[in-house]
Amino acid sequence: MTTASQNPSARVFCVANQKGGVGKTTTAINLAAALSIYGQRVLLVDLDPQGNATMGSGIDKNLATVNLYQVLIGEARVADARLRSETGRYDVLPSNRDLSGAEIDLVGMENREMQLKSALAQVSDEYDFILIDCPPTLSLLTLNGLACAHGVVIPMQCEYFALEGLSDLVNSIKRIYRNLNTSLELIGLLRVMFDQRVTLQQQVSEQLISHFGDKVFKTVIPRNVRLAEAPSHGMPGVVYDKSSRGAKAYLQFGEELIRRVGGRVRRRAA
Ligand code: ADP
Ligand code: MG
């Protein structure tokens, strides 16, 4: 029996953190590709007008003339906008700078926070996982992501101010839980760009575990240049150099996430 027949609709997870440059997009792309390697059907939603998740999946954002923007304002269906990442072997709901206009267009709409949710409902039964790469703000776009997600995965760097930023984010999640989405859950915190040799990072990591316990994923993503190089080749790091430390870590993370949410790890036929 496949996961799909046990769970007719996809699990929807946001990759979110209010800070920029913390590894959200890298995590979203590599998790999507890792889940695909483990036999899961994945849709990656690029909710950031920068379109980095789109480009990093090997899709030219400028050629994506029908994209998430048109979907959010009700002018296109997900099925018309989604494209295949041939390198990552998952589907992408692409974005580009068109999406920066969505904030303004959405303001006047009824149920403006619920547009993504109703759009994704069209295709939810076609996927095991829908991952949403959020922009680094708590904007109306991010609210659309959090309003339709079952869970949030937070990538974070173990730096001095990390814990402070984290409590803001956790409070935002609680507020969204109360007001918009009572299915929303913190799935876990992922330590990224980790350097074992830096004492401060070890200390922050320990504090994180003492505050959040099991919510901290066991997998740690190291700082690894291969992960940073991969997007310029239009490939997820786990595909670009699968023997690199970064790739191995994201593969392990994919497995940990599947197990954490009670899914089944399957090896995709090559
Ligand atoms: P965000 O989406 O939160 O803004 P990105 O995923 O774009 O963050 O990452 C910011 C920068 O850090 C990018 O240049 C990316 O390639 C690099 N990066 C992310 N994770 C790693 C890592 N584990 N090791 C090395 N570089 C990384
Ligand atoms: Mg990003």
Side-chain angles (χ1 to χ4, degrees):
M1 191 164 30
T2 64
T3 311
S5 55
Q6 289 162 0
N7 297 292
S9 59
R11 293 183 170 93
V12 183
F13 294 149
C14 281
V15 179
N17 189 319
Q18 283 143 310
K19 280 179 75 176
V22 291
K24 291 182 292 298
T25 301
T26 305
T27 297
I29 290 173
N30 282 288
L31 180 58
L35 292 173
S36 170
I37 287 168
Y38 292 127
Q40 312 291 314
R41 301 164 306 164
V42 181
L43 173 68
L44 174 59
V45 179
D46 190 349
L47 195 54
D48 190 331
Q50 290 186 57
N52 293 346
T54 302
M55 297 293 282
S57 300
I59 294 165
D60 186 344
K61 62 182 176 183
N62 299 309
L63 299 179
T65 45
V66 180
N67 55 55
L68 180 58
Y69 170 71
Q70 284 84 6
V71 170
L72 283 179
I73 61 167
E75 285 185 357
R77 297 174 59 80
V78 176
D80 303 323
R82 70 182 160 192
L83 296 168
R84 185 74 176 165
S85 168
E86 298 297 343
T87 55
R89 299 225 223 162
Y90 50 80
D91 288 349
V92 178
L93 192 45
S95 287
N96 55 34
R97 57 201 305 188
D98 288 355
L99 190 61
S100 48
E103 287 281 337
I104 298 160
D105 294 333
L106 284 170
V107 167
M109 289 173 82
E110 220 174 296
N111 289 328
R112 57 192 181 180
E113 305 91 356
M114 295 298 172
Q115 298 305 309
L116 184 59
K117 182 173 182 163
S118 50
L120 293 180
Q122 300 161 10
V123 297
S124 177
D125 60 353
E126 296 176 43
Y127 298 100
D128 299 303
F129 287 92
I130 297 178
L131 302 178
I132 304 174
D133 183 31
C134 290
T137 48
L138 197 60
S139 59
L140 195 43
L141 285 173
T142 305
L143 283 182
N144 264 270
L146 293 170
C148 68
H150 303 121
V152 188
V153 171
I154 304 177
M156 57 174 302
Q157 286 173 261
C158 291
E159 286 174 344
Y160 187 60
F161 288 116
L163 288 169
E164 197 176 316
L166 201 57
S167 60
D168 290 346
L169 185 57
V170 169
N171 285 332
S172 302
I173 293 171
K174 284 184 185 152
R175 219 171 300 131
I176 288 156
Y177 172 86
R178 285 195 301 269
N179 294 303
L180 277 180
N181 177 4
T182 51
S183 311
L184 191 66
E185 200 190 333
L186 173 61
I187 303 296
L189 303 162
L190 178 66
R191 291 163 286 172
V192 299
M193 296 190 227
F194 196 79
D195 188 342
Q196 194 63 50
R197 295 162 303 183
V198 180
T199 311
L200 175 66
Q201 292 203 14
Q202 287 176 17
Q203 288 168 348
V204 173
S205 174
E206 280 159 22
Q207 284 174 2
L208 203 62
I209 291 167
S210 67
H211 275 75
F212 290 94
D214 285 347
K215 287 289 180 193
V216 182
F217 288 107
K218 300 241 169 341
T219 309
V220 176
I221 310 295
R223 185 173 282 285
N224 178 246
V225 69
R226 304 299 268 170
L227 291 173
E229 287 168 6
S232 66
H233 299 270
M235 284 185 203
V238 297
V239 176
Y240 173 63
D241 181 358
K242 59 178 192 272
S243 62
S244 65
R245 283 169 63 236
K248 284 181 179 158
Y250 271 117
L251 284 169
Q252 191 184 326
F253 174 54
E255 199 168 340
E256 184 180 2
L257 184 80
I258 295 171
R259 295 193 196 287
R260 181 166 290 207
V261 301
R264 278 182 48 198
V265 175
R266 303 186 294 268
R267 273 277 169 190
R268 185 180 70 193

